[in-house]
Amino acid sequence: MLESRIITAQSDDNFIERMRFENEIISDIDSARMKFESIQFIQCQFNKCDFSKASFYDSVFDNCNFANCIFTGSYWKGSKILTCKGDGSNFSKSHMKETSLVDSSFRYANFSSSVLENCALHGCNFMEALLSEIRLKKPKLKEVNFTGADFFKTSLKDIDLSDCIIDGMIVSDTRNELRGAIVNAWQATELAARFLGIKII
């Protein structure tokens, strides 16, 4: 149903709204520039799908697998990603606004040059993810695993990382990315004394 609906939309207005797709499996589907509004994806699996420059408004991915899929330049507003697997996915140059990522895995995912604005990240795994040159605007971070994540040229000023795992996170030689970051006393000790300008709470 989902695959046929996408194909139909491609020949029409690239727009799908107010639908629920459950237990769907689609592969090698080109959904670039597609607009999804008030869509529910429940326990769906996406294999090698391309959602480049797609838009997701008030939509939900719940218990879905979109590992290694492409979301480059995608736009998200008021949406939710819940208990999903997005390992190795490409979200570079995407823009997420007022969107929640909860209990999901984004290991090795690429979010470089993206914007996360008023987003909530709870219980997510971003181990070794590429988070370079992203803009974080008032994020709410809770129990996020950033072990080995690459934050090169990403300003963490005033970002509260105190409830996150930041072991081995990658920054530039100057450590400017960490200036003004909010961490707990244990994290500050681990980051070492040379990381100046860190706020301790």
Side-chain angles (χ1 to χ4, degrees):
M1 179 180 175
L2 174 56
E3 182 174 348
S4 61
R5 187 66 188 86
I6 290 175
I7 293 173
T8 300
Q10 286 174 333
S11 61
D12 191 6
D13 54 6
N14 272 3
F15 183 50
I16 302 176
E17 65 174 336
R18 298 174 185 169
M19 296 191 72
R20 176 188 175 101
F21 301 101
E22 190 167 357
N23 296 315
E24 300 270 357
I25 300 177
I26 62 173
S27 301
D28 300 302
I29 291 297
D30 183 357
S31 300
R33 302 180 185 276
M34 193 74 65
K35 181 179 178 181
F36 300 91
E37 184 168 342
S38 299
I39 301 297
Q40 290 182 302
F41 300 100
I42 312 296
Q43 295 182 325
C44 294
Q45 182 168 333
F46 304 88
N47 301 314
K48 298 180 181 179
C49 293
D50 186 354
F51 291 94
S52 297
K53 297 185 178 180
S55 300
F56 300 89
Y57 296 89
D58 300 312
S59 294
V60 178
F61 285 81
D62 188 352
N63 276 284
C64 293
N65 185 341
F66 47 79
N68 300 308
C69 288
I70 301 172
F71 292 88
T72 303
S74 58
Y75 181 82
W76 304 67
K77 184 175 181 181
S79 294
K80 297 179 180 180
I81 297 177
L82 310 172
T83 321
C84 290
K85 184 175 181 180
D87 298 342
S89 51
N90 189 346
F91 283 84
S92 61
K93 299 181 180 179
S94 60
H95 190 151
M96 292 185 169
K97 186 174 183 179
E98 299 162 6
T99 290
S100 299
L101 284 62
V102 180
D103 296 330
S104 297
S105 181
F106 295 95
R107 294 192 68 177
Y108 313 110
N110 182 358
F111 280 81
S112 61
S113 301
S114 292
V115 177
L116 277 68
E117 183 177 356
N118 296 314
C119 291
L121 281 62
H122 293 173
C124 290
N125 185 353
F126 282 85
M127 289 182 66
E128 300 184 65
L130 186 58
L131 304 170
S132 59
E133 299 186 85
I134 67 173
R135 284 191 291 161
L136 295 169
K137 300 180 179 180
K138 299 180 180 180
K140 296 179 181 179
L141 308 177
K142 181 178 180 180
E143 298 179 352
V144 181
N145 188 346
F146 289 120
T147 300
D150 187 345
F151 283 92
F152 184 71
K153 290 188 177 181
T154 293
S155 174
L156 297 171
K157 182 179 180 181
D158 298 324
I159 303 300
D160 189 348
L161 299 167
S162 61
D163 196 41
C164 300
I165 300 174
I166 57 175
D167 299 344
M169 62 188 301
I170 299 172
V171 294
S172 64
D173 291 340
T174 63
R175 279 84 178 182
N176 284 336
E177 294 86 351
L178 290 166
R179 189 171 300 276
I182 301 172
V183 299
N184 60 42
W186 174 261
Q187 291 170 326
T189 301
E190 292 295 307
L191 288 170
R194 68 180 181 275
F195 293 170
L196 301 176
I198 294 175
K199 301 176 183 177
I200 300 175
I201 63 171

